Amino acid sequence: MAETAIHHPPGVDPLEPRMLVPPHHDDASLNETLLDHVWAKPGKGWFLLFGIALVGLGMFLVAVTVTLARGIGVWGNNQPNGWAFDIVNFVWWVGIGHAGTLISAILLLFQQKWRTSINRFAEAMTIFAVICAGMFPILHTGRPWFAFWLLPYPSTLGAWPQFRSPLDWDVFAISTYFTVSLLFWYIGLIPDLAALRDSSKSKLQRIIYGLFSLGWRGSGRHWHNYKIGYLLLAGLSTPLVLSVHTIVSFDFATGLIPGWHATIFPPYFVAGAVFSGFAMVITLIVPARKYLKLRDVITDRHLENMNKVILATGLIVSYGYMMEHFIAWYSGNEYEIWTFYVNRARGPYAGVYWLMIACNVITPNIFWFKKCRTSIPIMWVASIVVNIGMWCERFIIIVTSLTQDFLPSSWDLYSPTWVDWCLYIGTLGLFGTLFLLFLKFVPAVAISEVKELQLELKHAAHHAAHGADTGAAGTLTHGAH
């Protein structure tokens, strides 16, 4: 990548609000900057990435077809490894989807202005990640055409889901999270879709963007309703950030399997989800920022703040690892001690375990140093390493606890088949396909919010200048007296 490091102008504090949007922009230049990538013809790089993503999507379709035709026996699952790649990937994708709601909802309620230019990236990533996550439990049922049995619909057979099962809680948590996240993302898009409608050069584009903009005209009444709806959805989304991955952690914490039965799982899983989600935002936003020419609106401060969040949540994850090992030792339970100190650290999957420690415990600590927090190549590579580590964590939690449980006579190793790998790589292709289409047809940055922030900064600068002039005049008057 051509970018090497973040350089702040001399005498300028990088944490000042004006560093969020450079002051030389006006409405016209912001429109040109933020809509240019939608109207411009895709370059060779976009087509190359889209082709790679379509290959991955094709692998996914092949793997799903084989799974539906022959059953989940084509996976590497065995006894006692009933959960394996499918649930590993499910938990990993759900975790990645957490950053969008955190950036959009919680930072909005706390009035953090630096969320403005990155929230749409994160929201789109959330929706696409949850779509990828939802594929795995449905396929894991073995008969996905009966997946609607998981919903409490009125049945003449009188059969209802087992509401005491965390697996059924997942259905409600994930579906609610997806619905609210989609509504939140779409409502935020409406003013920008109207801007695309008004600047369209063809009749077809005007019709399509006009339909999706729902007749938006930018009147005072429209803005009033928009603000209320956006704020209400932000308030509704906030508890979902905590509840969704908490419920996912209950899939394990309510079981009696060694390595799962831990009360620290809910906060530890939520912190890990935010950790991996922000890492994925960095992975996607760094190249997009360069090739979509958005460096003026996705500024240096945005990237540095996200690295600080990665550092903070990485420390919480590291604390979770330490507490797991401490409680296993302090409990004196021989099964827990075996799982943490023998099976994971020195067992057949020890390589994956130590890779997890290197990626999730050591790597985030480089962000204590400003040079690393502000270096584009370092932060981009570190974000990829973090998500590799988080995938290894999910693998270690699920597979090592199942391969060696209470009965040595039932122990067996797990190894994924080509279908497992194709499903996983295929969801990466699905995610990439959706994300590239999003970058092509929708403004990647919320235009209306950036303009609102720009207006606020101009007012603040005007008041500051007016105050300085008043203060100078007062000093001169006092001197004359």
Side-chain angles (χ1 to χ4, degrees):
M1 291 187 183
E3 295 180 272
T4 56
I6 298 170
H7 299 289
H8 301 295
V12 174
D13 179 3
L15 296 181
E16 285 185 10
R18 64 192 179 92
M19 286 300 291
L20 290 173
V21 183
H24 64 268
H25 274 298
D26 55 18
D27 275 6
S29 65
L30 280 175
N31 272 344
E32 183 179 350
T33 300
L34 301 179
L35 294 179
D36 183 60
H37 67 91
V38 177
W39 300 130
K41 185 179 179 181
K44 293 180 181 178
W46 188 90
F47 281 112
L48 176 63
L49 290 174
F50 193 64
I52 294 171
L54 286 178
V55 170
L57 181 58
M59 293 173 65
F60 177 74
L61 294 175
V62 168
V64 169
T65 303
V66 172
T67 300
L68 295 180
R70 300 179 58 188
I72 60 173
V74 296
W75 296 356
N77 298 23
N78 55 30
Q79 288 295 341
N81 300 292
W83 289 1
F85 249 44
D86 48 337
I87 306 301
V88 170
N89 296 327
F90 163 71
V91 179
W92 186 71
W93 277 117
V94 171
I96 283 175
H98 260 58
T101 310
L102 178 71
I103 290 172
S104 301
I106 294 182
L107 295 184
L108 172 68
L109 295 178
F110 282 97
Q111 298 184 353
Q112 295 297 305
K113 302 298 183 185
W114 64 272
R115 64 173 280 283
T116 302
S117 298
I118 59 173
N119 62 329
R120 184 160 297 157
F121 272 98
E123 290 166 12
M125 187 191 77
T126 291
I127 293 165
F128 305 149
V130 173
I131 290 173
C132 293
M135 300 289 182
F136 289 101
I138 292 174
L139 291 172
H140 182 71
T141 59
R143 294 187 289 174
W145 48 91
F146 290 135
F148 64 91
W149 286 1
L150 293 167
L151 300 173
Y153 70 97
S155 169
T156 54
L157 300 175
W160 291 88
Q162 176 53 275
F163 291 113
R164 290 180 292 179
S165 168
L167 298 178
D168 205 54
W169 305 343
D170 279 345
V171 175
F172 296 97
I174 300 302
S175 59
T176 303
Y177 186 56
F178 177 75
T179 304
V180 173
S181 297
L182 184 63
L183 285 173
F184 196 51
W185 181 63
Y186 179 63
I187 285 181
L189 269 173
I190 289 175
D192 295 351
L193 292 173
L196 286 170
R197 174 201 64 201
D198 296 339
S199 59
S200 298
K201 294 181 173 60
S202 76
K203 185 176 181 181
L204 181 61
Q205 289 173 339
R206 280 196 298 274
I207 291 173
I208 294 173
Y209 286 121
L211 286 173
F212 284 103
S213 61
L214 303 179
W216 176 272
R217 294 295 174 193
S219 66
R221 182 165 173 248
H222 284 184
W223 278 112
H224 176 72
N225 293 338
Y226 168 83
K227 290 290 184 184
I228 290 176
Y230 202 63
L231 197 61
L232 286 175
L233 280 173
L236 187 61
S237 302
T238 298
L240 290 177
V241 176
L242 304 176
S243 67
V244 171
H245 226 59
T246 297
I247 291 173
V248 170
S249 76
F250 286 166
D251 293 351
F252 311 100
T254 56
L256 298 178
I257 302 294
W260 289 5
H261 196 61
T263 54
I264 199 173
F265 263 34
Y268 158 47
F269 265 56
V270 171
V274 176
F275 183 50
S276 61
F278 268 83
M280 183 62 86
V281 174
I282 289 283
T283 302
L284 297 172
I285 215 168
V286 164
R289 173 180 184 255
K290 175 178 173 57
Y291 293 109
L292 299 182
K293 301 176 183 177
L294 297 174
R295 293 186 63 184
D296 278 354
V297 287
I298 302 174
T299 65
D300 307 344
R301 186 186 169 196
H302 293 106
L303 301 178
E304 192 171 356
N305 280 358
M306 285 192 284
N307 290 331
K308 290 177 181 178
V309 174
I310 291 173
L311 172 61
T313 49
L315 293 174
I316 297 172
V317 169
S318 301
Y319 174 77
Y321 293 162
M322 289 190 293
M323 287 305 298
E324 278 187 316
H325 286 76
F326 171 76
I327 293 300
W329 166 78
Y330 191 70
S331 69
N333 185 300
E334 58 186 349
Y335 302 105
E336 293 284 335
I337 292 172
W338 172 269
T339 297
F340 284 98
Y341 291 96
V342 179
N343 187 18
R344 291 186 179 178
R346 291 179 284 157
Y349 302 106
V352 180
Y353 173 82
W354 290 111
L355 179 60
M356 173 194 80
I357 296 297
C359 295
N360 293 349
V361 177
I362 298 173
T363 301
N365 283 284
I366 66 173
F367 291 134
W368 284 109
F369 305 100
K370 187 175 181 65
K371 185 175 181 180
C372 294
R373 277 200 317 271
T374 56
S375 169
I376 300 293
I378 290 177
M379 73 173 74
W380 191 68
V381 172
S383 68
I384 295 173
V385 169
V386 162
N387 264 316
I388 291 172
M390 289 307 296
W391 187 90
C392 292
E393 179 202 286
R394 281 35 172 156
F395 184 88
I396 287 295
I397 289 174
I398 293 171
V399 174
T400 59
S401 292
L402 290 174
T403 52
Q404 298 183 11
D405 55 6
F406 296 104
L407 273 178
S409 60
S410 68
W411 289 0
D412 196 3
L413 293 179
Y414 165 77
S415 57
T417 65
W418 70 270
V419 180
D420 288 312
W421 282 111
C422 284
L423 280 173
Y424 173 53
I425 296 170
T427 51
L428 292 173
L430 173 62
F431 180 86
T433 302
L434 294 173
F435 196 79
L436 287 167
L437 290 173
F438 155 73
L439 292 180
K440 179 64 193 81
F441 294 107
V442 176
V445 175
I447 304 172
S448 57
E449 294 191 32
V450 172
K451 286 184 177 180
E452 184 179 351
L453 178 60
Q454 178 78 345
L455 188 62
E456 289 179 15
L457 297 179
K458 285 182 178 178
H459 282 312
H462 174 73
H463 287 307
H466 181 69
D469 292 342
T470 305
T475 302
L476 289 173
T477 305
H478 180 71
H481 283 301

